[in-house]
Amino acid sequence: MAYKSILTVATAADRLEPALSVASRLALAEDGHLDVLALGIDATQVAYYNMGGTAVVLQMALERAETDAQAIEKAANALILAQPAGLRASVEAAVAQLGGMTGLVGLRSRFADLVVLPRPYGKGRGPEAEAVVEAALFDGQAPVLVLPDDPALSASIGNRVVVAWDQSREALTAVRRALPFLLRAETVNIVVVDPSAHGAERSDPGGMLCQMLVRHGVRAEVSVIAKTLPRISDVLARHVRDLNADLLVMGAYGHSRFREAILGGATRDLLELSETPILMAH
């Protein structure tokens, strides 16, 4: 498996560069193709306006979203031209309402081997940032590489990898989707936090996963650690820092609320806490 189709989705021109640069670097390394979705968001909520003013408000919001999409498209094309020679890339501009963007992002993500996105939480980020991540993960069923805010922290990705292992389907899906990174890594540390004394792997936590990866040629080892902090996310974040890892691989957890994907607590906590790129899959 290789990442031959890499997608990044941008909803703001001024936050496009870090994700596009990393996605470009990966596309060149994998001899793949980079797709950029320049997405203008129409955030109007029709129910909040009286009937007389709705048409005017909708038209203004649509025009603003189209202008945003064109600005992102222009910025993306300029950044692509500045990348090293040999990059194959395309940019698509689109407009979507906040409540209807899941289908669009999910469809594009479904046919991507990897989606590269900025962290959805932080100053200046609206609900559309989280919605893009959720759409790619849950509707698109794609592996998503989420980058920290500081571009310097994404300068090197995948040399020292931590895999968060809890025997779940989501965690195993993430490992399989991360294989191109794992195969190139100098070290892969499978970390198991407080394994169950009655689980299927109680005699050898992480052992079967380690064996599978070693058979692929991955340089893997297992760490079994105690939950010495209140939240699993805090324990994992500390372990990543202790190993000076430059990639965390983990399953993405969530649930449905009125048919919308909602990131689960541990997943959201790590996205807010981590200063390391995170590859997630559901």
Side-chain angles (χ1 to χ4, degrees):
M1 175 189 172
Y3 299 133
K4 293 298 184 181
S5 295
I6 298 175
L7 170 70
T8 187
V9 182
T11 57
D14 60 349
R15 292 196 296 274
L16 169 64
E17 197 277 333
L20 189 144
S21 293
V22 170
S24 298
R25 192 168 77 234
L26 292 172
L28 286 166
E30 295 282 333
D31 190 27
H33 189 281
L34 170 62
D35 293 302
V36 181
L37 178 59
L39 192 56
I41 304 298
D42 173 3
T44 53
Q45 301 291 334
V46 177
Y48 294 157
Y49 301 100
N50 62 54
M51 292 303 294
T54 298
V56 175
V57 170
L58 288 177
Q59 183 61 34
M60 290 175 62
L62 180 60
E63 290 174 357
R64 185 164 55 248
E66 289 174 346
T67 299
D68 290 344
Q70 291 167 6
I72 298 168
E73 180 184 26
K74 181 179 178 180
N77 281 316
L79 287 168
I80 286 170
L81 288 174
Q83 301 303 312
L87 176 65
R88 298 192 298 275
S90 58
V91 183
E92 175 191 4
V95 172
Q97 285 196 317
L98 184 58
M101 61 186 289
T102 297
L104 176 61
V105 174
L107 179 64
R108 298 300 186 275
S109 302
R110 197 171 300 162
F111 299 100
D113 297 316
L114 180 69
V115 182
V116 181
L117 297 172
R119 188 164 67 165
Y121 308 113
K123 184 178 180 181
R125 261 146 285 195
E128 69 279 356
E130 184 178 34
V132 167
V133 173
E134 290 179 346
L137 280 169
F138 298 113
D139 194 63
Q141 292 291 298
V144 176
L145 177 63
V146 179
L147 305 175
D149 291 336
D150 185 352
L153 298 174
S154 301
S156 174
I157 298 177
N159 291 323
R160 298 172 303 281
V161 182
V162 169
V163 173
W165 180 243
D166 62 359
Q167 305 179 43
S168 68
R169 180 193 64 186
E170 290 84 354
L172 184 56
T173 298
V175 170
R176 294 188 189 280
R177 298 297 185 88
L179 267 176
F181 282 114
L182 302 181
L183 287 166
R184 290 195 300 267
E186 296 171 3
T187 61
V188 173
N189 182 265
I190 301 165
V191 58
V192 186
V193 181
D194 265 1
S196 171
H198 306 288
E201 297 183 1
R202 58 187 178 275
S203 62
D204 186 18
M208 294 180 70
L209 176 62
C210 187
Q211 181 185 72
M212 183 189 83
L213 292 178
V214 168
R215 286 174 176 173
H216 276 281
V218 176
R219 292 176 284 274
E221 61 182 16
V222 179
S223 295
V224 179
I225 61 177
K227 184 187 175 187
T228 55
L229 295 169
R231 299 185 301 181
I232 293 287
S233 55
D234 294 317
V235 177
L236 288 173
R238 184 180 63 184
H239 187 69
V240 168
R241 288 194 302 271
D242 289 346
L243 295 184
N244 196 27
D246 53 19
L247 179 65
L248 171 64
V249 175
M250 61 176 286
Y253 306 94
H255 61 276
S256 176
R257 185 179 71 188
F258 304 114
R259 300 186 65 184
E260 293 182 28
I262 305 297
L263 289 172
T267 307
R268 182 179 178 121
D269 289 343
L270 273 165
L271 287 177
E272 291 177 334
L273 279 172
S274 181
E275 298 177 349
T276 303
I278 301 176
L279 191 147
M280 303 185 298
H282 179 67

